[in-house]
Amino acid sequence: MQKNTWVEIMRHGVEQELQVVNQDGRLVYEVGKILSSIPETCKQYRTQGGIYKDVYDSQLEISTGAANNLDDLQNQLLELRTLVAEKARKQGLYLIASGANHLLKPNVGELFAEQHHIDAEDKAEKLRLSNFIRMFTPELFAISVNSPLGQGRISRWKSVRASIRSMDASERVNPNIKQAPFLRMEDIERGFLEKFSYEPTFEKKRKKSRYYDVSPFTQKDRYTNEWKPTIEIRLFDTQPSIPLTMSYAAIIEALALKSKRFIKIPNLEIHYNRSQAIEHGLHAHFIIDHCRDYSFLPHRNASCNDANIILTVFLDWLQDEIRELGYERYISPVKKMIQQQRDLADWQIDLYQRKRKEYVPTLIEKTMDDFDKEIISHTIDITLTKQEEKETKLDPVIHENVTMLMNELKNIHRVDSRELISSLVAIGEVLPDKKTEMDDSVNKALSLVELDGSVKNNSYLTAYLMELLIAFDKTDKSIFEQSSSWLFNQVKNTDISREKVWLNAYMLSVLKRIGYEKKDVEQGLTWLEKQVDSEVEPWVLAYVVEAFTVYGLPKENVVRKILDELQYDHWSSRVIDDTSVTALIYRLLRNTGYHNLDIVNWLKKQLRQRKVQEKLSLHQVSLVLRSLSEEVVKS
């Protein structure tokens, strides 16, 4: 029998991470309810695919098997999305396909990607495909951005997910998305990037090397336990539209076929164009002068540096490969998108501005019912609102207290270290647009750091400082690496039994945010689990819930124990009439999907009373503001 050509046997698989939400669009940590209703025979889908929980209980991941053609791939996606939508609905849950939740500031890794795998039959092909597709990641970003909102506001980025800093200083964080390096054969032979040589096992070295836009260092199949012989393209935001996903699949395969026609692949500088695409999508302006030095690349034929023009030329350049593969019909949605100069982030922004109450129901509908339709047109039947109604309206109580914190920090010469750090964290999380105004105060906080990376040799203050560095996008500073190492050594080397339960839980939660994994802190987590039965303080247990949540441990019994303690007269009862404790508990429980409007209103009342009574310290105000960070935008 004649051997099939490469075009005929190239296999392609897709993974999509979907948000599990309630009817308000808020993340809920109940993916287990959906999975428990799916038969085991369906969870392992077509041998290589499956349906499973990702890192967090708010993430449902579906994965196709390796399809031999795009018709098969599309059918698999339709089957999987239909199944999980049906099971979610029966559990009173909903799904959203977007790169980030529009209400939240995500935990590290609590973002939602669409990943494509294509076969590479040998190491030489892995090298060629990785470097070739890497050159065009700015173009791929520009057509796939789909997460323009965060914390209830339209952000400056078309993809909030891809804008999250990768925290290069520690190299421990799963950045979710990170610019792919230009690879050499020794990297492929080694099986991981040399920069991760410090990791103790080959599996960890390889895993860290995967977290890039394009990677040949794919993981083991969770069912067969064998290394996948694929290239992984993981830069896409999750897409609600299966036709758009199929367009990206067709472009990837056309690029793979085009790459076979090149002997040498240049190491292009793509950082600027990549950043532009993440921020502006189809409205980006690329730098292409250096690309024009290579006559075989499409950029030479572009009349200007507008992304939509460059992408038109890019698709024309791939036309022969698209025709050879028979994929003309699959490219149609992206072509229409480029012609309209309207990406999915524009669609989300338009929807959010036109009629905000329709935003979440529409995203849910497109994810759970209309995912087999294109979403690029202007024909959404939503009544236009006045310009002033489109603007984000901030809650005046929250805005006023953030302004007060800013003024206090600027005007007071000396301020307590805890109040300084906690106030800055609150400003950075609640009104991130104000961060650039706080440089002097941030520098004052950073000056507290000792040579060993600690703040006054204090674990609590050092962990708080790490939250400040994350909130103010300072994770590329050397101080981040020093302080994260110091904090990890404290947890690793300290006699845990002598430490406080809340402090250990808090440090473990922060370590997760800066990239340490469950295996790194197994001893501390095991100890925490043993303390739950004997601990009675609700605020201490709330710290434990936070740690269990971020590491994916069962926390339902602990949450129930807290709520049982606080069931009478809500948390503002005279039994626990402490504003900062109430705020702390609520913020930590809120990360599990808990929401209580009575508590929100009571906390706002405390902020209003402060103006008259001046009872709350800066630290207490900061705790309250952080607990209300999802309430900043006025409904």
Side-chain angles (χ1 to χ4, degrees):
M1 180 180 289
Q2 185 179 1
K3 184 178 179 181
N4 288 333
T5 65
W6 179 84
V7 172
E8 291 171 331
I9 66 171
M10 179 171 56
R11 299 188 305 166
H12 193 139
V14 171
E15 301 171 12
Q16 288 188 328
E17 297 164 356
L18 302 170
Q19 301 178 32
V20 181
V21 300
N22 62 13
Q23 62 184 359
D24 299 321
R26 186 181 302 275
L27 287 180
V28 293
Y29 295 76
E30 297 184 348
V31 69
K33 286 186 178 180
I34 300 173
L35 292 177
S36 64
S37 66
I38 297 174
E40 290 297 324
T41 52
C42 295
K43 289 180 184 176
Q44 183 176 346
Y45 180 79
R46 299 203 184 185
T47 306
Q48 298 115 327
I51 304 170
Y52 32 81
K53 178 182 84 70
D54 206 284
V55 178
Y56 291 88
D57 287 332
S58 60
Q59 297 171 311
L60 176 70
E61 181 166 332
I62 61 173
S63 176
T64 70
N68 291 323
N69 56 69
L70 291 196
D71 287 344
D72 182 28
L73 185 64
Q74 179 171 257
N75 289 335
Q76 290 191 47
L77 279 172
L78 286 167
E79 186 177 342
L80 284 166
R81 289 276 288 270
T82 301
L83 175 62
V84 296
E86 174 193 345
K87 298 302 182 183
R89 194 176 281 110
K90 286 184 177 179
Q91 297 296 326
L93 299 171
Y94 304 91
L95 303 173
I96 286 178
S98 179
N101 186 269
H102 73 290
L103 289 174
L104 304 182
K105 180 182 178 68
N107 293 304
V108 173
E110 197 170 15
L111 298 157
F112 304 85
E114 176 177 299
Q115 297 150 12
H116 290 245
H117 287 257
I118 56 171
D119 271 351
E121 60 186 21
D122 56 36
K123 292 178 180 178
E125 189 171 45
K126 279 198 167 192
L127 180 65
R128 186 187 73 248
L129 287 173
S130 296
N131 287 335
F132 193 80
I133 295 174
R134 170 191 174 273
M135 288 195 296
F136 302 102
T137 50
E139 286 83 353
L140 294 176
F141 269 117
I143 57 177
S144 64
V145 287
N146 184 39
S147 54
L149 276 72
Q151 294 179 275
R153 284 155 278 179
I154 297 170
S155 74
R156 58 175 282 197
W157 299 284
K158 291 289 188 71
S159 175
V160 167
R161 180 187 68 90
S163 75
I164 301 299
R165 282 181 175 259
S166 58
M167 305 187 183
D168 291 330
S170 74
E171 289 293 1
R172 285 194 162 271
V173 170
N174 169 358
N176 201 300
I177 202 68
K178 193 171 181 180
Q179 181 176 311
F182 186 82
L183 300 177
R184 292 172 174 79
M185 182 52 77
E186 51 262 37
D187 299 312
I188 306 294
E189 294 281 0
R190 191 187 304 111
F192 59 87
L193 296 176
E194 192 171 19
K195 67 197 305 183
F196 297 111
S197 295
Y198 68 85
E199 288 291 354
T201 65
F202 176 75
E203 287 79 8
K204 278 197 172 185
K205 292 175 172 63
R206 192 177 183 101
K207 182 177 181 181
K208 292 287 167 59
S209 301
R210 288 181 53 232
Y211 297 141
Y212 291 87
D213 296 345
V214 185
S215 172
F217 308 115
T218 46
Q219 83 275 39
K220 286 183 178 179
D221 185 281
R222 69 182 69 210
Y223 297 115
T224 65
N225 205 36
E226 296 178 355
W227 297 110
K228 295 179 180 177
T230 64
I231 298 297
E232 184 177 28
I233 299 95
R234 54 188 298 122
L235 60 87
F236 302 104
D237 286 343
T238 302
Q239 304 291 314
S241 163
I242 286 181
L244 275 174
T245 293
M246 300 313 299
S247 285
Y248 307 144
I251 291 171
I252 288 168
E253 290 195 21
L255 282 171
L257 182 54
K258 175 76 84 172
S259 75
K260 290 178 70 72
R261 292 159 186 168
F262 290 83
I263 298 173
K264 187 175 181 181
I265 298 168
N267 181 9
L268 285 185
E269 171 52 53
I270 59 173
H271 177 76
Y272 177 82
N273 289 348
R274 180 181 183 274
S275 300
Q276 281 285 301
I278 291 169
E279 185 168 354
H280 301 291
L282 284 178
H283 303 281
H285 296 286
F286 291 159
I287 293 176
I288 58 173
D289 291 345
H290 63 297
C291 301
R292 285 176 168 155
D293 294 337
Y294 303 95
S295 59
F296 49 81
L297 295 179
H299 308 88
R300 178 176 284 270
N301 298 321
S303 59
C304 67
N305 64 349
D306 292 347
N308 64 299
I309 299 297
I310 292 169
L311 280 158
T312 300
V313 173
F314 171 65
L315 290 185
D316 288 343
W317 181 68
L318 289 175
Q319 191 58 46
D320 289 344
E321 288 72 26
I322 291 168
R323 191 178 296 113
E324 184 174 347
L325 290 162
Y327 288 167
E328 290 92 338
R329 70 188 187 282
Y330 285 116
I331 297 296
S332 175
V334 161
K335 281 189 172 180
K336 290 180 182 178
M337 177 189 290
I338 295 168
Q339 288 167 2
Q340 294 187 14
Q341 299 182 42
R342 178 180 169 80
D343 50 53
L344 274 197
D346 292 323
W347 173 78
Q348 281 205 41
I349 291 169
D350 189 48
L351 175 63
Y352 190 75
Q353 288 181 329
R354 282 169 175 245
K355 199 168 184 181
R356 203 158 292 179
K357 290 181 180 179
E358 297 295 328
Y359 178 78
V360 169
T362 303
L363 284 188
I364 290 172
E365 180 186 11
K366 295 301 180 185
T367 302
M368 299 180 71
D369 296 310
D370 291 344
F371 46 73
D372 57 342
K373 297 180 181 178
E374 298 176 19
I375 314 174
I376 54 176
S377 70
H378 291 262
T379 58
I380 304 168
D381 186 20
I382 297 176
T383 305
L384 285 171
T385 57
K386 297 178 182 179
Q387 180 61 38
E388 59 268 22
E389 293 176 351
K390 294 182 181 181
E391 297 172 357
T392 300
K393 296 180 180 179
L394 302 180
D395 186 292
V397 175
I398 298 175
H399 186 267
E400 180 182 319
N401 278 273
V402 170
T403 303
M404 180 276 295
L405 283 184
M406 294 174 64
N407 292 334
E408 291 284 311
L409 293 183
K410 289 177 182 177
N411 298 330
I412 296 177
H413 179 65
R414 294 182 60 84
V415 63
D416 176 80
S417 300
R418 184 184 67 167
E419 291 200 327
L420 172 63
I421 295 173
S422 64
S423 298
L424 286 170
V425 171
I427 294 166
E429 287 187 355
V430 178
L431 284 183
D433 294 343
K434 303 292 186 181
K435 292 191 291 190
T436 55
E437 301 176 35
M438 302 307 299
D439 286 347
D440 289 342
S441 295
V442 170
N443 290 334
K444 187 186 296 184
L446 297 185
S447 70
L448 299 171
V449 180
E450 311 277 353
L451 292 177
D452 62 0
S454 73
V455 178
K456 299 183 177 180
N457 199 35
N458 184 295
S459 300
Y460 168 63
L461 289 179
T462 307
Y464 226 144
L465 179 83
M466 302 309 299
E467 293 200 88
L468 184 154
L469 292 169
I470 293 170
F472 279 81
D473 304 320
K474 301 290 185 182
T475 55
D476 56 346
K477 305 295 184 183
S478 59
I479 197 171
F480 181 86
E481 181 178 11
Q482 295 168 354
S483 298
S484 61
S485 296
W486 185 90
L487 194 65
F488 176 65
N489 288 331
Q490 285 296 109
V491 172
K492 184 177 179 181
N493 300 324
T494 302
D495 182 358
I496 297 176
S497 61
R498 294 173 178 266
E499 293 294 312
K500 299 175 181 177
V501 172
W502 74 267
L503 181 57
N504 273 285
Y506 176 49
M507 289 193 293
L508 288 169
S509 299
V510 172
L511 286 174
K512 177 62 178 177
R513 292 193 67 192
I514 61 180
Y516 287 86
E517 300 175 7
K518 185 178 178 181
K519 292 180 181 178
D520 300 322
V521 294
E522 197 73 55
Q523 180 183 358
L525 290 172
T526 301
W527 181 81
L528 266 188
E529 289 179 293
K530 294 177 180 177
Q531 309 309 308
V532 171
D533 290 339
S534 58
E535 185 57 60
V536 294
E537 285 286 354
W539 67 273
V540 175
L541 290 171
Y543 273 115
V544 175
V545 167
E546 170 77 349
F548 286 2
T549 298
V550 298
Y551 285 102
L553 298 175
K555 74 279 182 180
E556 289 74 16
N557 291 338
V558 191
V559 172
R560 194 176 301 113
K561 186 173 181 178
I562 295 171
L563 296 179
D564 286 347
E565 288 286 328
L566 302 172
Q567 63 180 324
Y568 301 108
D569 300 323
H570 303 294
W571 297 347
S572 55
S573 69
R574 295 193 177 280
V575 178
I576 326 170
D577 196 9
D578 187 302
T579 303
S580 56
V581 169
T582 303
L584 177 71
I585 295 172
Y586 183 64
R587 176 172 65 84
L588 296 176
L589 283 191
R590 193 193 63 200
N591 291 337
T592 71
Y594 181 81
H595 187 250
N596 188 319
L597 189 58
D598 290 333
I599 302 301
V600 169
N601 291 333
W602 186 81
L603 289 170
K604 287 182 180 179
K605 180 180 177 182
Q606 307 314 300
L607 290 178
R608 285 191 292 267
Q609 289 179 344
R610 180 193 185 279
K611 193 172 182 180
V612 178
Q613 301 174 359
E614 293 291 334
K615 288 199 307 182
L616 300 180
S617 67
L618 296 186
H619 177 59
Q620 289 174 311
V621 171
S622 300
L623 290 175
V624 175
L625 288 171
R626 290 185 72 190
S627 72
L628 297 174
S629 62
E630 294 178 24
E631 315 293 334
V632 176
V633 178
K634 192 174 182 181
S635 301

